[in-house]
Amino acid sequence: TPLIDKITGKIIEISKTHDFVVIDKGSFDKVTQDMIFRVFRDNELVGKLRINEIDEHVSAGAIISKKNPDWNFRSGDIVVLAD
């Protein structure tokens, strides 16, 4: 799938306990339940998240993997729909 067709957004909020994040894409952007997004910072993969709550313009997802256990997701990290 060409990258242009993939849903791309960014993290806008992180829970205090870092177990979930909020992204700036929602049902309006065709985000659906259980979608997996890769998370990037400076063009480097940070980890993945799975969407479990969707609103019209934002979604929340659980962190399902981190490339490095010491890394945390941050506001501004880029999210790209995984294949």
Side-chain angles (χ1 to χ4, degrees):
T1 307
L3 194 58
I4 198 81
D5 293 336
K6 292 191 176 189
I7 301 168
T8 303
K10 66 183 176 188
I11 292 175
I12 56 172
E13 189 178 327
I14 300 174
S15 76
K16 296 279 189 257
T17 56
H18 286 34
D19 58 352
F20 77 91
V21 299
V22 178
I23 67 169
D24 65 349
K25 299 294 172 189
S27 59
F28 183 81
D29 308 288
K30 301 187 176 25
V31 174
T32 59
Q33 187 80 13
D34 294 324
M35 272 185 171
I36 305 291
F37 283 84
R38 289 190 179 100
V39 180
F40 293 91
R41 182 179 310 132
D42 300 326
N43 294 318
E44 188 169 359
L45 181 67
V46 179
K48 293 181 183 175
L49 62 94
R50 175 182 286 119
I51 299 300
N52 51 26
E53 286 187 43
I54 305 160
D55 208 334
E56 201 169 280
H57 296 288
V58 295
S59 300
I63 295 168
I64 57 173
S65 71
K66 291 182 184 180
K67 187 172 178 190
N68 180 326
D70 296 330
W71 293 354
N72 287 315
F73 292 9
R74 297 183 196 153
S75 288
D77 285 351
I78 302 300
V79 296
V80 179
L81 182 63
D83 293 326

